[in-house]
Amino acid sequence: MSLNELVGGRKIPKFCRDVPLRLNERERILLNVLISALTVSEYTDNVDVVSRRNKVGRIIDGILEACAIATGLGLCGAGDSSRSGLNAEMKEAAKRDPSDNQELLCEIFEVGRRNKILNPASMRDTYGKLMYLLQDSQSSSVNRGLQFGLWKELKMVSPFLEEGGAEDLLVDERLVDAVHPVMETDSSGERVSRDNIQRQVKKKRESAEELVAEYGAKTNLSEEEIRRAIDSIADAYTVVTQNVKPCKRMLALLKENFDSRQPDGKFSLQLKGSSRGGSSYGYGMGRFGFGGGGGGGNSSGATLSHSHDTQWTFVWQTLCLWIKIQQNMHSLWVAADADLLSTSSVYNLWNTGQGLNRVQSCPTVSRMMHNLLSATQSESKKSWVGLSVVHLGDRDVPNALVFIDKYTQVPRILQPIVDFIDGLDEFCANPKLKAYVDKQFKGQEVLKKKVLADYFKHGFDGSGDDGGSCIDGRLTSSWNWTSRIGKKSYYHAFLMSGFNGFDGEWK
């Protein structure tokens, strides 16, 4: 598969506009300092409460405390960082007022924001606290009280190369080989040979070294900086590939195992729901360190009534949309960052049914989501099943932070299902496990279809807001399904295969 196909048809220069730059040695030290400071900070616990006390004063006190903790921990965490020059810098910073450390503090907080986009699985307990602190610092009243700001533009690959006179790297044909993910399976899903993988790795390394030597010599950037940019791009393509893969595999499993028009005996996807609606107030499995969370939503059962063919189309269209979202996740992260830290859009603290949450409009994310939805609807060439409502900046999805958390969960929901289904041959190669499957489920094929039919029905059964057919409600239904898997007849088969939860690692 070509690089353009991996990211929905975008060419490398366009894709790299929203690809963050890898952290260097200095920045990794600053990241550890930031995470440590946020871990001990009680910022959101003190600020996001119903209180008559002056909120601006609480915010300023909280920000100053977090900055003081960061510089203090920085002095300890820098250690003997002679190569980065950080030790001496932190010693001087510890002696100064926070306002005199604005440049350093801006750098520390920018590193945290950038790292989260690079590694979405990181900072799961502290990222929310980071963004809400920065969100408050953008307020004009808070900024006047602090007399300094904490926002800094994210470091992206494209501007970094342009500033160093190396923008031609992005259109160099050799870059395709240098950043292409190493593919362990071919287009049909079959595993490729070890020799094939080694050839891919060798070609990737040789192409990268050629580019590093050439552009390191003819531009204002060093070879180390060129390598850093290439590695950043390669990381981004790899992340997209890993996140899109389970979505595409589930789409293939839907097509392979269920006819789009006629049900297969008892494995029909037909749904008969009640008129009672659910709720999409559950904000997901992510842990951003500010409360809320859980499995997401109300598990009141199916609320949609679909024939087999309508449900098949509903699931198919939803998976196609999820693929597009995952292909554009870097851009959505950048858009969410911009909406959260906007100086023109204030938030309101509301009780949304999941406690107090910051409700803020998300114009940048909303525009992107509607464009992706429109493209999916056009490509489906079928009537759109369900609502086209995208909840953003309301009680269902209060802000861009909650939105981005929801859609980073899609691969975490789908990957364990894919791993179980694709691992059934190996699972049943064990005579004792095969005997169990034959006795309990009447064979491997029945077990496979039972799991898939259950997910394609009740992972999209409408247990979300607006009857569950809105864009947000589709994902909420899948969350609800994951929270109920312990009650499924095939749960023990999942456990014996190595399943460790939808938010953990596969054993």
Side-chain angles (χ1 to χ4, degrees), residues 175-324:
L175 185 62
V176 173
D177 293 328
V179 302
H180 199 292
V182 175
M183 310 301 289
E184 297 181 356
T185 57
D186 58 24
S187 57
S188 63
E190 295 294 323
R191 294 188 69 85
V192 300
S193 66
R194 182 184 296 271
D195 289 342
N196 187 307
I197 292 176
Q198 289 176 343
R199 284 195 298 271
Q200 292 182 62
V201 171
K202 182 181 179 182
K203 185 176 183 181
K204 183 173 183 176
R205 185 185 300 116
E206 290 175 348
S207 299
E209 289 305 317
E210 281 183 24
L211 293 169
V212 166
E214 180 177 328
Y215 284 88
K218 71 178 185 180
T219 68
N220 297 326
L221 298 177
S222 66
E223 290 190 357
E224 183 178 350
E225 289 172 322
I226 294 294
R227 184 177 288 106
R228 183 184 177 196
I230 293 173
D231 289 344
S232 301
I233 301 169
D235 289 347
Y237 278 111
T238 300
V239 168
V240 171
T241 302
Q242 291 174 342
N243 290 341
V244 169
K245 189 176 180 180
C247 301
K248 289 190 173 182
R249 181 59 183 143
M250 286 301 290
L251 193 62
L253 288 169
L254 174 68
K255 295 177 181 178
E256 292 168 5
N257 293 278
F258 301 94
D259 188 277
S260 62
R261 297 184 180 180
Q262 297 295 328
D264 178 16
K266 62 180 179 179
F267 297 112
S268 170
L269 301 184
Q270 182 178 359
L271 274 176
K272 292 182 180 180
S274 65
S275 59
R276 178 186 173 189
S279 168
S280 63
Y281 289 167
Y283 297 150
M285 299 182 291
R287 300 187 307 276
F288 279 153
F290 53 85
N298 186 327
S299 57
S300 58
T303 60
L304 298 177
S305 293
H306 284 164
S307 63
H308 171 85
D309 60 323
T310 300
Q311 181 68 5
W312 191 97
T313 303
F314 182 64
V315 175
W316 175 67
Q317 290 175 338
T318 302
L319 289 172
C320 288
L321 176 60
W322 288 357
I323 288 170
K324 282 198 175 294

Side-chain angles (χ1 to χ4, degrees), residues 317-361:
Q317 290 175 338
T318 302
L319 289 172
C320 288
L321 176 60
W322 288 357
I323 288 170
K324 282 198 175 294
I325 291 172
Q326 296 305 315
Q327 288 174 332
N328 290 271
M329 208 60 185
H330 285 88
S331 298
L332 286 167
W333 270 107
V334 174
D337 183 273
D339 282 339
L340 279 164
L341 304 184
S342 170
T343 56
S344 60
S345 178
V346 298
Y347 69 85
N348 294 295
L349 200 62
W350 290 355
N351 188 333
T352 62
Q354 283 285 103
L356 293 174
N357 280 275
R358 300 186 179 202
V359 180
Q360 180 192 34
S361 64

Side-chain angles (χ1 to χ4, degrees), residues 124 138 293 317 419 500:
R124 298 187 61 199
Q138 291 291 85
Q317 290 175 338
D419 288 341
N500 194 34

Side-chain angles (χ1 to χ4, degrees), residues 60-71:
I60 292 173
D61 289 345
I63 292 175
L64 290 174
E65 180 185 47
C67 291
I69 292 171
T71 51

Side-chain angles (χ1 to χ4, degrees), residues 379-423:
E379 292 172 10
S380 72
K381 297 180 181 179
K382 290 185 179 182
S383 297
W384 187 255
V385 178
L387 298 174
S388 299
V389 177
V390 180
H391 286 290
L392 282 167
D394 56 20
R395 292 183 182 273
D396 295 327
V397 184
N399 54 55
L401 181 61
V402 175
F403 163 83
I404 205 72
D405 180 36
K406 290 174 76 74
Y407 283 97
T408 55
Q409 310 308 320
V410 171
R412 292 192 181 116
I413 293 173
L414 299 183
Q415 191 64 59
I417 306 173
V418 168
D419 288 341
F420 177 76
I421 297 299
D422 288 345

